[in-house]
Structures are given as structure tokens and as C-alpha cells.
Amino acid sequence: MISLITRYNTSIICVALLMAAITSCKNKKKTLKTETPVTISEDSLSNRCRLDHKSARTLSKNVKENEFIFDWVYAKANVEALVDDKEESFDIKVSIRRDSAMLVSVHYLLGLQVAKLLITKDSVKFVNYIQKTYFTGDFVYINNLLNADLDFELLQAVLFGNSAEFQEDESKLKPVTDKQNCHYLLSTERKRKLRKIQAGVSDIKNSLQTLTLNPDNYKILKNEFIEPATNRQFIANYSKFQQKDSVYAPYHVDIDIVAQKKANIKIDYVRIEKNTPQKLSLNIPAKYDPIQIQKK
């Protein structure tokens, strides 16, 4: 367990970290198909969706071709967080350079700056301006806070409706044509091996990912991650898809983390701007105190 960490810190850093996740996918494709709004085709006589069967390979290809791709991104959002029954509301400003670094600024709704977070694939730096504390470390700290097994690659995928990198072997891909709800589903295994859940555990399985897809443009409507050994879950739902300022993306994201600590994050984007270079830096004031972590 972690001591000397307030639930206030936990709420802020959970929100900031999730917001910081908006960075690039592994797909190298530079062009994006022209997406169409969500429309559901139904048979007028049977009132059932008319969906043709798609192979796993076809669904996988269509998902990657329609992901949100950028080199830089700047976003503003209103965020509501519920972490272990503690509610917080924030405004967020986030600047990201793909596959490099992300700077997240957290503000109260009246404009008071609460915290900043700078994250890379290997490091996490966090400053709490209210409590005048800071943390420098890595994802171990975040996972201790939530008793979860998150990583940069998972987090970077979910904020704008992208998929985490998964196995391309067709034996690992399971397509489903859900005509009742008029969606395609694609179940996959992540390429990354899970960390050991506790000391002494050697049987580490791949985590599972299930994508629910809009049949008209193959945008992800729901992304679920499950750890088989613990049944921990990370679920993201996407809605309010809009075309704004050359960006087509879900402007509402609803994230649930189900682990020892439960968290719900609701994100409503106000602005999304891509490919404008941003300044990414975080200074820790000299008189701030380090956040102490102690494990049992």
C-alpha cells in the first residue's frame, strides 16, 4: 500500500495521466479515410441490421486506416473524475509530441492551476501546486495508486479512440458480427506481456482487448481491456464524433477503471488541434517537497 498520498493527489494524477495519454498510434499511415457520421442501416422489413461478414484481417486493416493520426496535438477539455467515491471537476490543457513527451496542465473550473504532469514512455513527473509537492518516477507509482497495470502504450491509445497495438496473427483475432446492435466486434491480444501481478507469479498471459466498431467508418465506439489473471478492466466508450478544424474525433470519452481502486473519468473536449508544435517542459520549484512513497 502507499502511505502519505492523499486522495486529492490520486484524483488529480489519475485525470492528468489519462489526459496525457493522447499521443500517436504505431500505424505509419499518413492519410485518413474520409469518415462519415454514424448511420445504421436496417432492413425495413425485418428491422435487423444488414451487415456483411468481415474477416478479422479486414476489420484490423480498417481500424488502423481510420485511427486518429498526428505528429503534434493540443487539446482542451472539461473533465469529471470519480476516484473511490471522491468527485473532482477540472479543466485540462494538454500538449503532445507523438512518441516523445506530453505536458498536461490541470486547472480548477475558475482558472486556478492545480497541477502539471510531464510524461514520456519511461518517466512521470508531477507537480501539485496546491500542496506544493512533486513526484518524479515511472508507471510503478501510478499502478500502485490504482492497483492497476497500466502502461504508456495502453494510455496513449484510448483517449482519441485508437487501439493499443495488438497481435496481427489471425489466430489471435476474433471477429464478431453483432447484428442485434449493428456493430462489428474484434477481440484481440495485446502484444505486450503483462507485468507480474505479485512476486513469485510466473504465468503471465497477454491482456485481452475487445473493440466495438461503427460499421460505417470503423471508428472504435468501445474499447475494453481485461487482465485474465485478475479480471481488472479498463473500459473506454466514445461518442459525439465531430469534424472540427480538420480533426474528426470523439468529443466525449467515458473511461472506467475497475481494479482495487475504481475510477471513472468523463472527458468532454472543447478544442482539438493537431500538428502545431508546442513547448513541452516542467520545472519543479526548489522549495516543493517530494511525495513520499512507502510500500508494505
Side-chain angles (χ1 to χ4, degrees), residues 11-23 79 81 83 92 94 102 104 117 119 142 146 150 154-156 158-160 234 255-257 263-267 269:
S11 295
I12 292 176
I13 203 166
C14 286
V15 175
L17 187 68
L18 288 169
M19 287 303 303
I22 350 177
T23 187
V79 180
V83 180
I92 296 291
V94 57
M102 312 161 228
V104 181
L117 183 144
I119 181 173
I142 307 304
L146 296 175
L150 309 179
L154 182 152
L155 291 171
Q156 62 138 19
V158 299
L159 267 295
F160 282 134
F234 188 106
I255 296 173
D256 283 299
I257 300 173
N264 174 258
I265 313 292
K266 288 182 170 59
I267 303 166
Y269 291 108

PDB file of all heavy atoms in Angstrom, residues 11-23 79 81 83 92 94 102 104 117 119 142 146 150 154-156 158-160 234 255-257 263-267 269:
ATOM      1  N   SER A  11      -6.788  11.672  -7.264  1.00  0.00           N
ATOM      2  CA  SER A  11      -7.760  12.120  -8.254  1.00  0.00           C
ATOM      3  C   SER A  11      -7.098  12.935  -9.350  1.00  0.00           C
ATOM      4  O   SER A  11      -7.324  12.711 -10.540  1.00  0.00           O
ATOM      5  CB  SER A  11      -8.854  12.960  -7.579  1.00  0.00           C
ATOM      6  OG  SER A  11      -9.599  12.184  -6.687  1.00  0.00           O
ATOM      7  N   ILE A  12      -6.254  13.900  -8.960  1.00  0.00           N
ATOM      8  CA  ILE A  12      -5.624  14.778  -9.940  1.00  0.00           C
ATOM      9  C   ILE A  12      -4.716  13.996 -10.874  1.00  0.00           C
ATOM     10  O   ILE A  12      -4.764  14.135 -12.093  1.00  0.00           O
ATOM     11  CB  ILE A  12      -4.820  15.885  -9.240  1.00  0.00           C
ATOM     12  CG1 ILE A  12      -5.783  16.831  -8.511  1.00  0.00           C
ATOM     13  CG2 ILE A  12      -3.982  16.671 -10.247  1.00  0.00           C
ATOM     14  CD1 ILE A  12      -5.073  17.886  -7.708  1.00  0.00           C
ATOM     15  N   ILE A  13      -3.880  13.130 -10.319  1.00  0.00           N
ATOM     16  CA  ILE A  13      -2.902  12.448 -11.162  1.00  0.00           C
ATOM     17  C   ILE A  13      -3.564  11.412 -12.066  1.00  0.00           C
ATOM     18  O   ILE A  13      -3.134  11.177 -13.184  1.00  0.00           O
ATOM     19  CB  ILE A  13      -1.775  11.809 -10.326  1.00  0.00           C
ATOM     20  CG1 ILE A  13      -0.531  11.619 -11.207  1.00  0.00           C
ATOM     21  CG2 ILE A  13      -2.202  10.508  -9.700  1.00  0.00           C
ATOM     22  CD1 ILE A  13       0.714  11.311 -10.422  1.00  0.00           C
ATOM     23  N   CYS A  14      -4.656  10.793 -11.595  1.00  0.00           N
ATOM     24  CA  CYS A  14      -5.397   9.870 -12.465  1.00  0.00           C
ATOM     25  C   CYS A  14      -5.938  10.600 -13.678  1.00  0.00           C
ATOM     26  O   CYS A  14      -5.805  10.147 -14.816  1.00  0.00           O
ATOM     27  CB  CYS A  14      -6.545   9.218 -11.696  1.00  0.00           C
ATOM     28  SG  CYS A  14      -6.031   7.962 -10.529  1.00  0.00           S
ATOM     29  N   VAL A  15      -6.577  11.749 -13.438  1.00  0.00           N
ATOM     30  CA  VAL A  15      -7.119  12.528 -14.539  1.00  0.00           C
ATOM     31  C   VAL A  15      -6.003  13.009 -15.456  1.00  0.00           C
ATOM     32  O   VAL A  15      -6.073  12.871 -16.680  1.00  0.00           O
ATOM     33  CB  VAL A  15      -7.916  13.736 -14.002  1.00  0.00           C
ATOM     34  CG1 VAL A  15      -8.378  14.612 -15.152  1.00  0.00           C
ATOM     35  CG2 VAL A  15      -9.109  13.258 -13.201  1.00  0.00           C
ATOM     36  N   ALA A  16      -4.951  13.566 -14.863  1.00  0.00           N
ATOM     37  CA  ALA A  16      -3.862  14.110 -15.670  1.00  0.00           C
ATOM     38  C   ALA A  16      -3.191  13.029 -16.496  1.00  0.00           C
ATOM     39  O   ALA A  16      -2.885  13.236 -17.668  1.00  0.00           O
ATOM     40  CB  ALA A  16      -2.843  14.796 -14.769  1.00  0.00           C
ATOM     41  N   LEU A  17      -2.965  11.876 -15.901  1.00  0.00           N
ATOM     42  CA  LEU A  17      -2.294  10.803 -16.624  1.00  0.00           C
ATOM     43  C   LEU A  17      -3.136  10.307 -17.778  1.00  0.00           C
ATOM     44  O   LEU A  17      -2.647  10.078 -18.881  1.00  0.00           O
ATOM     45  CB  LEU A  17      -1.959   9.653 -15.686  1.00  0.00           C
ATOM     46  CG  LEU A  17      -1.110   8.558 -16.331  1.00  0.00           C
ATOM     47  CD1 LEU A  17       0.280   9.069 -16.631  1.00  0.00           C
ATOM     48  CD2 LEU A  17      -1.047   7.337 -15.458  1.00  0.00           C
ATOM     49  N   LEU A  18      -4.433  10.145 -17.531  1.00  0.00           N
ATOM     50  CA  LEU A  18      -5.302   9.688 -18.604  1.00  0.00           C
ATOM     51  C   LEU A  18      -5.354  10.703 -19.736  1.00  0.00           C
ATOM     52  O   LEU A  18      -5.333  10.360 -20.907  1.00  0.00           O
ATOM     53  CB  LEU A  18      -6.711   9.416 -18.058  1.00  0.00           C
ATOM     54  CG  LEU A  18      -6.806   8.172 -17.175  1.00  0.00           C
ATOM     55  CD1 LEU A  18      -8.148   8.131 -16.469  1.00  0.00           C
ATOM     56  CD2 LEU A  18      -6.611   6.909 -17.994  1.00  0.00           C
ATOM     57  N   MET A  19      -5.402  11.990 -19.380  1.00  0.00           N
ATOM     58  CA  MET A  19      -5.388  13.011 -20.415  1.00  0.00           C
ATOM     59  C   MET A  19      -4.062  13.019 -21.156  1.00  0.00           C
ATOM     60  O   MET A  19      -3.990  13.273 -22.353  1.00  0.00           O
ATOM     61  CB  MET A  19      -5.642  14.382 -19.795  1.00  0.00           C
ATOM     62  CG  MET A  19      -7.082  14.593 -19.362  1.00  0.00           C
ATOM     63  SD  MET A  19      -8.250  14.370 -20.701  1.00  0.00           S
ATOM     64  CE  MET A  19      -7.644  15.554 -21.888  1.00  0.00           C
ATOM     65  N   ALA A  20      -2.992  12.743 -20.440  1.00  0.00           N
ATOM     66  CA  ALA A  20      -1.675  12.760 -21.070  1.00  0.00           C
ATOM     67  C   ALA A  20      -1.502  11.644 -22.069  1.00  0.00           C
ATOM     68  O   ALA A  20      -0.558  11.645 -22.848  1.00  0.00           O
ATOM     69  CB  ALA A  20      -0.595  12.639 -20.001  1.00  0.00           C
ATOM     70  N   ALA A  21      -2.430  10.707 -22.066  1.00  0.00           N
ATOM     71  CA  ALA A  21      -2.299   9.549 -22.925  1.00  0.00           C
ATOM     72  C   ALA A  21      -2.464   9.848 -24.399  1.00  0.00           C
ATOM     73  O   ALA A  21      -2.217   8.998 -25.228  1.00  0.00           O
ATOM     74  CB  ALA A  21      -3.333   8.502 -22.521  1.00  0.00           C
ATOM     75  N   ILE A  22      -2.876  11.048 -24.774  1.00  0.00           N
ATOM     76  CA  ILE A  22      -3.172  11.296 -26.169  1.00  0.00           C
ATOM     77  C   ILE A  22      -1.893  11.467 -26.968  1.00  0.00           C
ATOM     78  O   ILE A  22      -1.389  12.550 -27.097  1.00  0.00           O
ATOM     79  CB  ILE A  22      -4.013  12.553 -26.387  1.00  0.00           C
ATOM     80  CG1 ILE A  22      -4.529  13.085 -25.082  1.00  0.00           C
ATOM     81  CG2 ILE A  22      -5.179  12.277 -27.256  1.00  0.00           C
ATOM     82  CD1 ILE A  22      -5.291  14.350 -25.249  1.00  0.00           C
ATOM     83  N   THR A  23      -1.408  10.424 -27.520  1.00  0.00           N
ATOM     84  CA  THR A  23      -0.249  10.526 -28.407  1.00  0.00           C
ATOM     85  C   THR A  23      -0.443   9.543 -29.541  1.00  0.00           C
ATOM     86  O   THR A  23      -1.535   9.028 -29.729  1.00  0.00           O
ATOM     87  CB  THR A  23       1.050  10.284 -27.632  1.00  0.00           C
ATOM     88  OG1 THR A  23       2.142  10.562 -28.486  1.00  0.00           O
ATOM     89  CG2 THR A  23       1.174   8.900 -27.106  1.00  0.00           C
ATOM     90  N   VAL A  79     -13.297  17.959 -17.583  1.00  0.00           N
ATOM     91  CA  VAL A  79     -13.159  16.599 -17.079  1.00  0.00           C
ATOM     92  C   VAL A  79     -13.870  16.457 -15.737  1.00  0.00           C
ATOM     93  O   VAL A  79     -13.752  17.319 -14.864  1.00  0.00           O
ATOM     94  CB  VAL A  79     -11.668  16.214 -16.915  1.00  0.00           C
ATOM     95  CG1 VAL A  79     -11.521  14.786 -16.381  1.00  0.00           C
ATOM     96  CG2 VAL A  79     -10.933  16.365 -18.236  1.00  0.00           C
ATOM     97  N   ALA A  81     -14.082  13.566 -12.669  1.00  0.00           N
ATOM     98  CA  ALA A  81     -13.445  12.336 -12.204  1.00  0.00           C
ATOM     99  C   ALA A  81     -14.111  11.856 -10.922  1.00  0.00           C
ATOM    100  O   ALA A  81     -14.427  12.652 -10.037  1.00  0.00           O
ATOM    101  CB  ALA A  81     -11.961  12.576 -11.950  1.00  0.00           C
ATOM    102  N   VAL A  83     -12.999   9.006  -8.239  1.00  0.00           N
ATOM    103  CA  VAL A  83     -11.986   8.034  -7.829  1.00  0.00           C
ATOM    104  C   VAL A  83     -12.294   7.610  -6.399  1.00  0.00           C
ATOM    105  O   VAL A  83     -12.197   8.418  -5.471  1.00  0.00           O
ATOM    106  CB  VAL A  83     -10.562   8.619  -7.927  1.00  0.00           C
ATOM    107  CG1 VAL A  83      -9.529   7.569  -7.502  1.00  0.00           C
ATOM    108  CG2 VAL A  83     -10.283   9.107  -9.343  1.00  0.00           C
ATOM    109  N   ILE A  92      -8.692  20.937 -18.462  1.00  0.00           N
ATOM    110  CA  ILE A  92      -7.410  20.349 -18.866  1.00  0.00           C
ATOM    111  C   ILE A  92      -6.893  21.023 -20.129  1.00  0.00           C
ATOM    112  O   ILE A  92      -7.651  21.296 -21.057  1.00  0.00           O
ATOM    113  CB  ILE A  92      -7.583  18.834 -19.151  1.00  0.00           C
ATOM    114  CG1 ILE A  92      -7.992  18.091 -17.899  1.00  0.00           C
ATOM    115  CG2 ILE A  92      -6.306  18.240 -19.719  1.00  0.00           C
ATOM    116  CD1 ILE A  92      -6.940  18.007 -16.839  1.00  0.00           C
ATOM    117  N   VAL A  94      -3.649  20.136 -22.743  1.00  0.00           N
ATOM    118  CA  VAL A  94      -2.633  19.109 -22.965  1.00  0.00           C
ATOM    119  C   VAL A  94      -1.923  19.352 -24.286  1.00  0.00           C
ATOM    120  O   VAL A  94      -2.546  19.680 -25.290  1.00  0.00           O
ATOM    121  CB  VAL A  94      -3.259  17.690 -22.934  1.00  0.00           C
ATOM    122  CG1 VAL A  94      -4.370  17.555 -23.958  1.00  0.00           C
ATOM    123  CG2 VAL A  94      -2.205  16.611 -23.162  1.00  0.00           C
ATOM    124  N   MET A 102       4.527  14.432 -23.331  1.00  0.00           N
ATOM    125  CA  MET A 102       3.204  15.023 -23.189  1.00  0.00           C
ATOM    126  C   MET A 102       3.182  15.881 -21.934  1.00  0.00           C
ATOM    127  O   MET A 102       3.618  15.449 -20.876  1.00  0.00           O
ATOM    128  CB  MET A 102       2.133  13.934 -23.035  1.00  0.00           C
ATOM    129  CG  MET A 102       2.237  12.825 -24.037  1.00  0.00           C
ATOM    130  SD  MET A 102       1.347  11.370 -23.449  1.00  0.00           S
ATOM    131  CE  MET A 102       2.617  10.149 -23.753  1.00  0.00           C
ATOM    132  N   VAL A 104       0.656  18.028 -19.458  1.00  0.00           N
ATOM    133  CA  VAL A 104      -0.746  18.215 -19.091  1.00  0.00           C
ATOM    134  C   VAL A 104      -0.834  19.248 -17.980  1.00  0.00           C
ATOM    135  O   VAL A 104      -0.148  19.142 -16.968  1.00  0.00           O
ATOM    136  CB  VAL A 104      -1.381  16.889 -18.619  1.00  0.00           C
ATOM    137  CG1 VAL A 104      -2.850  17.103 -18.262  1.00  0.00           C
ATOM    138  CG2 VAL A 104      -1.246  15.825 -19.691  1.00  0.00           C
ATOM    139  N   LEU A 117       1.746  17.779 -15.290  1.00  0.00           N
ATOM    140  CA  LEU A 117       2.320  16.455 -15.402  1.00  0.00           C
ATOM    141  C   LEU A 117       3.034  16.337 -16.738  1.00  0.00           C
ATOM    142  O   LEU A 117       2.489  16.701 -17.776  1.00  0.00           O
ATOM    143  CB  LEU A 117       1.214  15.391 -15.284  1.00  0.00           C
ATOM    144  CG  LEU A 117       1.663  13.926 -15.317  1.00  0.00           C
ATOM    145  CD1 LEU A 117       0.801  13.094 -14.381  1.00  0.00           C
ATOM    146  CD2 LEU A 117       1.570  13.366 -16.726  1.00  0.00           C
ATOM    147  N   ILE A 119       4.977  13.493 -19.065  1.00  0.00           N
ATOM    148  CA  ILE A 119       5.121  12.039 -19.146  1.00  0.00           C
ATOM    149  C   ILE A 119       5.800  11.640 -20.449  1.00  0.00           C
ATOM    150  O   ILE A 119       5.584  12.256 -21.489  1.00  0.00           O
ATOM    151  CB  ILE A 119       3.744  11.352 -19.031  1.00  0.00           C
ATOM    152  CG1 ILE A 119       3.870   9.829 -19.084  1.00  0.00           C
ATOM    153  CG2 ILE A 119       2.785  11.820 -20.099  1.00  0.00           C
ATOM    154  CD1 ILE A 119       2.567   9.107 -18.814  1.00  0.00           C
ATOM    155  N   ILE A 142       2.008   5.066 -10.556  1.00  0.00           N
ATOM    156  CA  ILE A 142       0.605   5.135 -10.963  1.00  0.00           C
ATOM    157  C   ILE A 142      -0.096   3.819 -10.688  1.00  0.00           C
ATOM    158  O   ILE A 142      -1.227   3.780 -10.189  1.00  0.00           O
ATOM    159  CB  ILE A 142       0.502   5.474 -12.460  1.00  0.00           C
ATOM    160  CG1 ILE A 142       1.309   6.732 -12.787  1.00  0.00           C
ATOM    161  CG2 ILE A 142      -0.951   5.638 -12.879  1.00  0.00           C
ATOM    162  CD1 ILE A 142       0.934   7.939 -11.966  1.00  0.00           C
ATOM    163  N   LEU A 146      -3.440   2.909  -8.168  1.00  0.00           N
ATOM    164  CA  LEU A 146      -4.690   2.317  -8.627  1.00  0.00           C
ATOM    165  C   LEU A 146      -4.750   0.806  -8.445  1.00  0.00           C
ATOM    166  O   LEU A 146      -5.790   0.202  -8.698  1.00  0.00           O
ATOM    167  CB  LEU A 146      -4.887   2.628 -10.123  1.00  0.00           C
ATOM    168  CG  LEU A 146      -5.056   4.099 -10.492  1.00  0.00           C
ATOM    169  CD1 LEU A 146      -5.110   4.255 -11.998  1.00  0.00           C
ATOM    170  CD2 LEU A 146      -6.297   4.669  -9.846  1.00  0.00           C
ATOM    171  N   LEU A 150      -1.354  -0.387 -15.772  1.00  0.00           N
ATOM    172  CA  LEU A 150      -1.395   0.476 -16.938  1.00  0.00           C
ATOM    173  C   LEU A 150       0.006   0.677 -17.493  1.00  0.00           C
ATOM    174  O   LEU A 150       0.991   0.469 -16.805  1.00  0.00           O
ATOM    175  CB  LEU A 150      -2.007   1.827 -16.557  1.00  0.00           C
ATOM    176  CG  LEU A 150      -3.340   1.789 -15.825  1.00  0.00           C
ATOM    177  CD1 LEU A 150      -3.786   3.201 -15.493  1.00  0.00           C
ATOM    178  CD2 LEU A 150      -4.391   1.060 -16.643  1.00  0.00           C
ATOM    179  N   LEU A 154      -0.869   1.625 -23.591  1.00  0.00           N
ATOM    180  CA  LEU A 154      -2.315   1.490 -23.422  1.00  0.00           C
ATOM    181  C   LEU A 154      -2.961   2.861 -23.287  1.00  0.00           C
ATOM    182  O   LEU A 154      -3.945   3.174 -23.957  1.00  0.00           O
ATOM    183  CB  LEU A 154      -2.624   0.624 -22.205  1.00  0.00           C
ATOM    184  CG  LEU A 154      -4.107   0.328 -21.910  1.00  0.00           C
ATOM    185  CD1 LEU A 154      -4.242  -0.991 -21.177  1.00  0.00           C
ATOM    186  CD2 LEU A 154      -4.765   1.429 -21.083  1.00  0.00           C
ATOM    187  N   LEU A 155      -2.377   3.701 -22.433  1.00  0.00           N
ATOM    188  CA  LEU A 155      -2.964   5.013 -22.196  1.00  0.00           C
ATOM    189  C   LEU A 155      -2.970   5.881 -23.440  1.00  0.00           C
ATOM    190  O   LEU A 155      -3.933   6.590 -23.719  1.00  0.00           O
ATOM    191  CB  LEU A 155      -2.206   5.710 -21.063  1.00  0.00           C
ATOM    192  CG  LEU A 155      -2.391   5.104 -19.681  1.00  0.00           C
ATOM    193  CD1 LEU A 155      -1.424   5.747 -18.702  1.00  0.00           C
ATOM    194  CD2 LEU A 155      -3.816   5.277 -19.197  1.00  0.00           C
ATOM    195  N   GLN A 156      -1.891   5.817 -24.216  1.00  0.00           N
ATOM    196  CA  GLN A 156      -1.816   6.667 -25.395  1.00  0.00           C
ATOM    197  C   GLN A 156      -2.853   6.283 -26.439  1.00  0.00           C
ATOM    198  O   GLN A 156      -3.190   7.093 -27.299  1.00  0.00           O
ATOM    199  CB  GLN A 156      -0.419   6.579 -26.007  1.00  0.00           C
ATOM    200  CG  GLN A 156      -0.039   5.207 -26.484  1.00  0.00           C
ATOM    201  CD  GLN A 156       0.681   5.237 -27.821  1.00  0.00           C
ATOM    202  OE1 GLN A 156       1.199   6.264 -28.229  1.00  0.00           O
ATOM    203  NE2 GLN A 156       0.709   4.129 -28.489  1.00  0.00           N
ATOM    204  N   VAL A 158      -6.115   5.188 -25.878  1.00  0.00           N
ATOM    205  CA  VAL A 158      -7.548   5.227 -25.599  1.00  0.00           C
ATOM    206  C   VAL A 158      -8.191   6.605 -25.651  1.00  0.00           C
ATOM    207  O   VAL A 158      -9.408   6.696 -25.793  1.00  0.00           O
ATOM    208  CB  VAL A 158      -7.846   4.608 -24.212  1.00  0.00           C
ATOM    209  CG1 VAL A 158      -7.416   3.168 -24.163  1.00  0.00           C
ATOM    210  CG2 VAL A 158      -7.206   5.415 -23.095  1.00  0.00           C
ATOM    211  N   LEU A 159      -7.402   7.685 -25.568  1.00  0.00           N
ATOM    212  CA  LEU A 159      -8.020   8.995 -25.402  1.00  0.00           C
ATOM    213  C   LEU A 159      -8.772   9.488 -26.628  1.00  0.00           C
ATOM    214  O   LEU A 159      -9.770  10.194 -26.506  1.00  0.00           O
ATOM    215  CB  LEU A 159      -6.971  10.017 -24.965  1.00  0.00           C
ATOM    216  CG  LEU A 159      -6.848  10.207 -23.453  1.00  0.00           C
ATOM    217  CD1 LEU A 159      -8.094  10.792 -22.852  1.00  0.00           C
ATOM    218  CD2 LEU A 159      -6.493   8.908 -22.755  1.00  0.00           C
ATOM    219  N   PHE A 160      -8.311   9.153 -27.828  1.00  0.00           N
ATOM    220  CA  PHE A 160      -9.000   9.568 -29.036  1.00  0.00           C
ATOM    221  C   PHE A 160      -9.561   8.379 -29.803  1.00  0.00           C
ATOM    222  O   PHE A 160      -9.813   8.470 -31.003  1.00  0.00           O
ATOM    223  CB  PHE A 160      -8.075  10.379 -29.946  1.00  0.00           C
ATOM    224  CG  PHE A 160      -7.899  11.804 -29.502  1.00  0.00           C
ATOM    225  CD1 PHE A 160      -6.645  12.371 -29.450  1.00  0.00           C
ATOM    226  CD2 PHE A 160      -8.998  12.567 -29.130  1.00  0.00           C
ATOM    227  CE1 PHE A 160      -6.480  13.691 -29.042  1.00  0.00           C
ATOM    228  CE2 PHE A 160      -8.847  13.879 -28.729  1.00  0.00           C
ATOM    229  CZ  PHE A 160      -7.584  14.445 -28.681  1.00  0.00           C
ATOM    230  N   PHE A 234     -10.279  -2.111 -18.005  1.00  0.00           N
ATOM    231  CA  PHE A 234     -10.118  -0.722 -18.431  1.00  0.00           C
ATOM    232  C   PHE A 234     -11.041  -0.557 -19.626  1.00  0.00           C
ATOM    233  O   PHE A 234     -10.832  -1.176 -20.669  1.00  0.00           O
ATOM    234  CB  PHE A 234      -8.660  -0.471 -18.808  1.00  0.00           C
ATOM    235  CG  PHE A 234      -8.320   0.966 -19.077  1.00  0.00           C
ATOM    236  CD1 PHE A 234      -7.592   1.697 -18.155  1.00  0.00           C
ATOM    237  CD2 PHE A 234      -8.717   1.599 -20.245  1.00  0.00           C
ATOM    238  CE1 PHE A 234      -7.257   3.028 -18.397  1.00  0.00           C
ATOM    239  CE2 PHE A 234      -8.400   2.917 -20.490  1.00  0.00           C
ATOM    240  CZ  PHE A 234      -7.665   3.633 -19.566  1.00  0.00           C
ATOM    241  N   ILE A 255     -14.398   6.813 -19.420  1.00  0.00           N
ATOM    242  CA  ILE A 255     -13.439   5.753 -19.087  1.00  0.00           C
ATOM    243  C   ILE A 255     -13.741   5.192 -17.705  1.00  0.00           C
ATOM    244  O   ILE A 255     -13.944   5.942 -16.744  1.00  0.00           O
ATOM    245  CB  ILE A 255     -11.999   6.293 -19.116  1.00  0.00           C
ATOM    246  CG1 ILE A 255     -11.628   6.727 -20.539  1.00  0.00           C
ATOM    247  CG2 ILE A 255     -11.004   5.249 -18.614  1.00  0.00           C
ATOM    248  CD1 ILE A 255     -10.294   7.431 -20.627  1.00  0.00           C
ATOM    249  N   ASP A 256     -13.775   3.872 -17.605  1.00  0.00           N
ATOM    250  CA  ASP A 256     -13.924   3.189 -16.328  1.00  0.00           C
ATOM    251  C   ASP A 256     -12.702   2.312 -16.088  1.00  0.00           C
ATOM    252  O   ASP A 256     -12.297   1.537 -16.959  1.00  0.00           O
ATOM    253  CB  ASP A 256     -15.177   2.302 -16.307  1.00  0.00           C
ATOM    254  CG  ASP A 256     -16.444   3.110 -16.119  1.00  0.00           C
ATOM    255  OD1 ASP A 256     -16.584   3.777 -15.075  1.00  0.00           O
ATOM    256  OD2 ASP A 256     -17.294   3.084 -17.021  1.00  0.00           O
ATOM    257  N   ILE A 257     -12.115   2.431 -14.899  1.00  0.00           N
ATOM    258  CA  ILE A 257     -11.045   1.537 -14.467  1.00  0.00           C
ATOM    259  C   ILE A 257     -11.596   0.715 -13.312  1.00  0.00           C
ATOM    260  O   ILE A 257     -12.048   1.267 -12.310  1.00  0.00           O
ATOM    261  CB  ILE A 257      -9.804   2.306 -14.005  1.00  0.00           C
ATOM    262  CG1 ILE A 257      -9.251   3.162 -15.156  1.00  0.00           C
ATOM    263  CG2 ILE A 257      -8.728   1.354 -13.501  1.00  0.00           C
ATOM    264  CD1 ILE A 257      -8.119   4.078 -14.735  1.00  0.00           C
ATOM    265  N   ALA A 263     -12.169   3.926 -10.743  1.00  0.00           N
ATOM    266  CA  ALA A 263     -12.149   5.302 -11.226  1.00  0.00           C
ATOM    267  C   ALA A 263     -13.035   5.428 -12.449  1.00  0.00           C
ATOM    268  O   ALA A 263     -13.113   4.513 -13.282  1.00  0.00           O
ATOM    269  CB  ALA A 263     -10.716   5.725 -11.566  1.00  0.00           C
ATOM    270  N   ASN A 264     -13.723   6.559 -12.552  1.00  0.00           N
ATOM    271  CA  ASN A 264     -14.476   6.902 -13.753  1.00  0.00           C
ATOM    272  C   ASN A 264     -14.049   8.303 -14.176  1.00  0.00           C
ATOM    273  O   ASN A 264     -14.024   9.223 -13.366  1.00  0.00           O
ATOM    274  CB  ASN A 264     -15.984   6.866 -13.498  1.00  0.00           C
ATOM    275  CG  ASN A 264     -16.778   7.373 -14.702  1.00  0.00           C
ATOM    276  OD1 ASN A 264     -17.244   8.504 -14.715  1.00  0.00           O
ATOM    277  ND2 ASN A 264     -16.916   6.543 -15.711  1.00  0.00           N
ATOM    278  N   ILE A 265     -13.689   8.440 -15.448  1.00  0.00           N
ATOM    279  CA  ILE A 265     -13.242   9.715 -15.990  1.00  0.00           C
ATOM    280  C   ILE A 265     -14.135  10.063 -17.175  1.00  0.00           C
ATOM    281  O   ILE A 265     -14.233   9.289 -18.134  1.00  0.00           O
ATOM    282  CB  ILE A 265     -11.780   9.655 -16.482  1.00  0.00           C
ATOM    283  CG1 ILE A 265     -10.877   8.982 -15.449  1.00  0.00           C
ATOM    284  CG2 ILE A 265     -11.283  11.035 -16.853  1.00  0.00           C
ATOM    285  CD1 ILE A 265     -10.672   9.742 -14.189  1.00  0.00           C
ATOM    286  N   LYS A 266     -14.802  11.215 -17.119  1.00  0.00           N
ATOM    287  CA  LYS A 266     -15.613  11.705 -18.236  1.00  0.00           C
ATOM    288  C   LYS A 266     -14.912  12.914 -18.833  1.00  0.00           C
ATOM    289  O   LYS A 266     -14.634  13.893 -18.134  1.00  0.00           O
ATOM    290  CB  LYS A 266     -17.019  12.066 -17.765  1.00  0.00           C
ATOM    291  CG  LYS A 266     -17.889  10.863 -17.423  1.00  0.00           C
ATOM    292  CD  LYS A 266     -19.281  11.301 -16.999  1.00  0.00           C
ATOM    293  CE  LYS A 266     -20.222  10.105 -16.885  1.00  0.00           C
ATOM    294  NZ  LYS A 266     -19.765   9.107 -15.935  1.00  0.00           N
ATOM    295  N   ILE A 267     -14.622  12.848 -20.121  1.00  0.00           N
ATOM    296  CA  ILE A 267     -13.869  13.883 -20.808  1.00  0.00           C
ATOM    297  C   ILE A 267     -14.723  14.476 -21.919  1.00  0.00           C
ATOM    298  O   ILE A 267     -15.208  13.747 -22.789  1.00  0.00           O
ATOM    299  CB  ILE A 267     -12.577  13.304 -21.415  1.00  0.00           C
ATOM    300  CG1 ILE A 267     -11.715  12.649 -20.323  1.00  0.00           C
ATOM    301  CG2 ILE A 267     -11.792  14.378 -22.157  1.00  0.00           C
ATOM    302  CD1 ILE A 267     -10.621  11.770 -20.866  1.00  0.00           C
ATOM    303  N   TYR A 269     -14.221  17.187 -24.793  1.00  0.00           N
ATOM    304  CA  TYR A 269     -13.270  18.058 -25.470  1.00  0.00           C
ATOM    305  C   TYR A 269     -13.952  19.345 -25.928  1.00  0.00           C
ATOM    306  O   TYR A 269     -15.049  19.324 -26.491  1.00  0.00           O
ATOM    307  CB  TYR A 269     -12.668  17.346 -26.681  1.00  0.00           C
ATOM    308  CG  TYR A 269     -11.751  16.200 -26.323  1.00  0.00           C
ATOM    309  CD1 TYR A 269     -12.141  14.885 -26.533  1.00  0.00           C
ATOM    310  CD2 TYR A 269     -10.500  16.445 -25.770  1.00  0.00           C
ATOM    311  CE1 TYR A 269     -11.302  13.833 -26.199  1.00  0.00           C
ATOM    312  CE2 TYR A 269      -9.660  15.398 -25.436  1.00  0.00           C
ATOM    313  CZ  TYR A 269     -10.062  14.101 -25.651  1.00  0.00           C
ATOM    314  OH  TYR A 269      -9.236  13.059 -25.308  1.00  0.00           O
TER     315      TYR A 269
END
